[in-house]
């Protein structure tokens, strides 16, 4: 086998090995990208739900604030107890006021919890999206590397004469592996 054909064969084998590695990396990135896209969708849905719940809690807190502003509030339960004529009604009113205060605290607690959850989901969603974008970029780079290696294979083959190509195609030459080409 002539030295030029031997060198071309060695070069082709190296290029095909590099192309196969790039193809494997591309496939692995594709799988990771599919997983990350699914995670991003899941987090986006959860974030939308959390933001809706947060909006409901804010509305509820706004109603509570309006009631207090309009004077329909239980800010002075002790005054009501002191001024009541009937001790039973005073105790019942005290229980009602305590329930109302508990409800107000629960509203504020829900609002705070939902705000924290929405914030955490927003941060997780941003991270997942950033990872997805980085994976897509890495996948593009791997695809470009693979295409570059295959272009180099074409150049090496194009540089050979028909006689050298015939020599290269003989069974004595090492087999050249097939490399899948990404879209």
């Amino acid at each position: 086998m002539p030295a030029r054909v031997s060198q071309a064969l060695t070069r082709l084998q190296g290029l095909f090995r590099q192309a196969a590695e790039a193809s494997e990396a591309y496939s692995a990135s594709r799988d990771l990208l599919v997983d990350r896209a699914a995670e991003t969708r899941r987090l986006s849905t959860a974030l939308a739900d959390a933001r809706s719940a947060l909006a409901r809690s804010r509305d509820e807190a706004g109603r509570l604030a309006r009631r207090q502003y309009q004077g329909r509030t239980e800010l002075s339960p002790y005054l009501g107890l002191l001024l009541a004529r009937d001790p039973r009604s005073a105790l019942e009113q005290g229980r009602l006021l305590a329930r109302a205060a508990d409800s107000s605290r629960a509203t504020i607690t829900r609002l705070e919890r939902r705000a924290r959850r929405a914030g955490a989901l927003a941060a997780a969603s941003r991270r997942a999206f950033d990872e997805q974008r980085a994976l897509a970029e890495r996948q593009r780079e791997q695809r470009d590397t693979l295409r570059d290696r295959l272009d180099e294979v074409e150049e090496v083959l194009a540089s050979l004469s028909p006689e050298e190509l015939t020599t290269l195609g003989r069974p004595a030459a090492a087999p050249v592996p097939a490399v899948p080409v990404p879209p």
Side-chain angles (χ1 to χ4, degrees):
M1 179 179 307
R4 181 171 147 80
V5 174
S6 179
Q7 290 172 345
L9 180 60
T10 302
R11 177 78 177 131
L12 285 172
Q13 288 172 336
L15 289 172
F16 273 111
R17 183 182 33 72
Q18 292 172 3
E21 290 168 0
S23 179
E24 288 174 20
Y26 177 86
S27 294
S29 291
R30 183 191 60 230
D31 294 343
L32 283 173
L33 188 58
V34 167
D35 291 345
R36 186 51 52 203
E39 177 69 6
T40 300
R41 280 191 303 278
R42 185 191 68 74
L43 286 169
S44 293
T45 300
L47 179 58
D49 293 345
R51 284 183 173 159
S52 293
L54 179 59
R56 286 190 306 273
S57 289
R58 284 184 177 146
D59 289 345
E60 199 175 331
R63 282 191 297 276
L64 176 64
R66 278 189 300 280
R67 279 196 319 262
Q68 288 177 347
Y69 178 75
Q70 294 168 348
R72 294 180 298 180
T73 180
E74 49 286 334
L75 290 178
S76 180
Y78 299 112
L79 185 59
L81 288 173
L82 289 173
L83 298 176
R85 292 184 186 183
D86 178 13
R88 256 193 213 136
S89 68
L91 288 175
E92 183 59 30
Q93 184 180 13
R95 279 193 285 269
L96 290 174
L97 291 173
R99 262 193 245 145
D102 289 345
S103 174
S104 297
R105 276 191 295 280
T107 297
I108 300 302
T109 300
R110 265 192 312 277
L111 176 63
E112 291 169 346
R113 187 180 65 242
R114 288 175 176 170
R116 281 191 305 273
R117 175 154 171 73
L121 283 170
S125 183
R126 275 191 301 277
R127 279 191 307 274
F129 179 74
D130 289 345
E131 289 173 13
Q132 182 181 352
R133 192 174 54 211
L135 278 170
E137 179 58 33
R138 188 167 73 198
Q139 187 180 33
R140 278 190 292 278
E141 290 169 2
Q142 291 164 341
R143 180 200 60 212
D144 293 345
T145 298
L146 177 56
R147 285 183 179 162
D148 290 346
R149 294 304 161 265
L150 293 176
D151 288 346
E152 288 180 48
V153 166
E154 286 180 18
E155 289 174 16
V156 168
L157 291 174
S159 72
L160 297 174
S161 70
E163 295 81 27
E164 291 171 327
L165 286 172
T166 302
T167 304
L168 189 62
R170 288 193 186 127
V176 178
V179 178
V181 179

